[in-house]
Amino acid sequence: IKDFDKHQPYLKVDDTLLIKWQGRFKQLPHKLNIGISWAGGAKAEHKRDRSLILEKMFPILTKANQNANIINLQYGNHKEEIQTFKDQTGIIIHDWEDADPLKDLDNFAAQIKALDLVISIDNSTVHFAGALGTKTYVMLPFNQDWRWAEDRNDSYWYPNIMTLFRQSQDGEWDEVIQNVANSIQ
C-alpha cells in the first residue's frame, strides 16, 4: 500500500488543453473551481445505489456557491436537469458543449486538472481526478466497491488526494451530503 504514494499522480494532460480550461475558469466570477458529478454506473443496480439527483446535492452546492464556481463534470446529457436546478435555486453550474468525456477524454482530463476540487459519487470521474492529482471528495454508497476498502476516509489508490464520505445506512445520502458540505472551505 505504501508503494501507491510513489506513483502519484500518474496521468498527464495536454498542456494546450489545460491552458484552455484555466483560461475559461479565470473568466468566471470566483477564484476557486469545484467540479461535480452525481450519477454513474453502467449496470442498473450500481446506478441506483450510487447515483443522486442533482437537487439532492443542494447543501453542497449552496456552500460551494458562496466562494467557488461550480463546474459540471457529469457525463451524458443533463442540460435540462442543470437548467431546472438553476431556475429553482439560482445556483449556476457552468457547462460547456465541448466538455463531454464520452467524446474527448483528453479534454475531460485537462478540465479536471484545472479544477481545485472534484466532488462526485463513485464513478470514472473520481478515478480521473485521483490519477491526475486533483483533490477529490468521493461520496460512497453503503455497499461501496471493494476498491475503497473499509473503515478508511482516504484512498490508498490515491493517497493525499481523496477524502471518502461513506453512507452509514443503505440509501441514506443526507449525512454524507452534509459532511461534504461541512468540509468545503
Side-chain angles (χ1 to χ4, degrees), residues 43-112:
K43 296 179 182 175
E45 67 185 67
H46 292 148
K47 187 172 252 185
R48 181 191 67 241
D49 289 344
R50 40 175 147 154
S51 294
L52 302 169
I53 56 172
L54 182 57
E55 68 184 40
K56 190 80 170 158
M57 291 182 69
F58 180 73
I60 294 169
L61 301 179
T62 299
K63 180 88 179 275
N65 194 50
Q66 294 172 11
N67 63 359
N69 305 303
I70 302 168
I71 311 300
N72 177 34
L73 298 177
Q74 183 57 55
Y75 43 87
N77 184 358
H78 292 273
K79 291 188 182 314
E80 187 175 315
E81 186 178 12
I82 291 169
Q83 184 61 49
T84 299
F85 185 79
K86 178 186 173 193
D87 293 345
Q88 293 174 346
T89 66
I91 296 173
I92 297 171
I93 299 171
H94 300 278
D95 193 20
W96 289 267
E97 287 291 327
D98 65 342
D100 187 346
L102 299 176
K103 295 180 181 173
D104 188 346
L105 288 177
D106 288 329
N107 192 49
F108 184 59
Q111 182 186 26
I112 289 173

Side-chain angles (χ1 to χ4, degrees), residues 106-121:
D106 288 329
N107 192 49
F108 184 59
Q111 182 186 26
I112 289 173
K113 183 67 178 172
L115 293 168
D116 299 293
L117 174 66
V118 169
I119 300 172
S120 178
I121 53 89

Side-chain angles (χ1 to χ4, degrees), residues 118-130:
V118 169
I119 300 172
S120 178
I121 53 89
D122 178 12
N123 64 15
S124 60
T125 301
V126 300
H127 294 285
F128 267 93

Side-chain angles (χ1 to χ4, degrees), residues 3-185:
D3 289 341
F4 282 104
D5 204 21
K6 297 175 189 172
H7 306 287
Q8 300 299 324
Y10 59 87
L11 284 183
K12 306 283 185 223
V13 299
D14 179 306
D15 288 336
T16 304
L17 292 173
L18 179 59
I19 290 167
K20 174 185 88 171
W21 283 106
Q22 290 170 333
R24 281 184 181 176
F25 294 164
K26 282 182 183 175
Q27 295 175 8
L28 299 176
H30 299 288
K31 184 179 176 187
L32 293 175
N33 297 290
I34 298 174
I36 62 164
S37 182
W38 58 94
K43 296 179 182 175
E45 67 185 67
H46 292 148
K47 187 172 252 185
R48 181 191 67 241
D49 289 344
R50 40 175 147 154
S51 294
L52 302 169
I53 56 172
L54 182 57
E55 68 184 40
K56 190 80 170 158
M57 291 182 69
F58 180 73
I60 294 169
L61 301 179
T62 299
K63 180 88 179 275
N65 194 50
Q66 294 172 11
N67 63 359
N69 305 303
I70 302 168
I71 311 300
N72 177 34
L73 298 177
Q74 183 57 55
Y75 43 87
N77 184 358
H78 292 273
K79 291 188 182 314
E80 187 175 315
E81 186 178 12
I82 291 169
Q83 184 61 49
T84 299
F85 185 79
K86 178 186 173 193
D87 293 345
Q88 293 174 346
T89 66
I91 296 173
I92 297 171
I93 299 171
H94 300 278
D95 193 20
W96 289 267
E97 287 291 327
D98 65 342
D100 187 346
L102 299 176
K103 295 180 181 173
D104 188 346
L105 288 177
D106 288 329
N107 192 49
F108 184 59
Q111 182 186 26
I112 289 173
K113 183 67 178 172
L115 293 168
D116 299 293
L117 174 66
V118 169
I119 300 172
S120 178
I121 53 89
D122 178 12
N123 64 15
S124 60
T125 301
V126 300
H127 294 285
F128 267 93
L132 290 163
T134 302
K135 183 178 176 182
T136 307
Y137 292 168
V138 184
M139 299 181 291
L140 296 172
F142 185 74
N143 295 317
Q144 76 271 349
D145 189 85
W146 65 269
R147 289 174 281 204
W148 300 116
E150 292 184 21
D151 302 323
R152 294 179 67 114
N153 66 355
D154 65 341
S155 168
Y156 56 84
W157 300 101
Y158 312 107
N160 307 312
I161 296 168
M162 287 192 175
T163 304
L164 308 178
F165 297 85
R166 301 171 186 275
Q167 284 183 347
S168 57
Q169 294 180 338
D170 193 19
E172 181 52 53
W173 287 107
D174 292 342
E175 180 183 3
V176 170
I177 289 167
Q178 194 56 56
N179 288 338
V180 170
N182 292 342
S183 296
I184 297 172
Q185 300 298 323

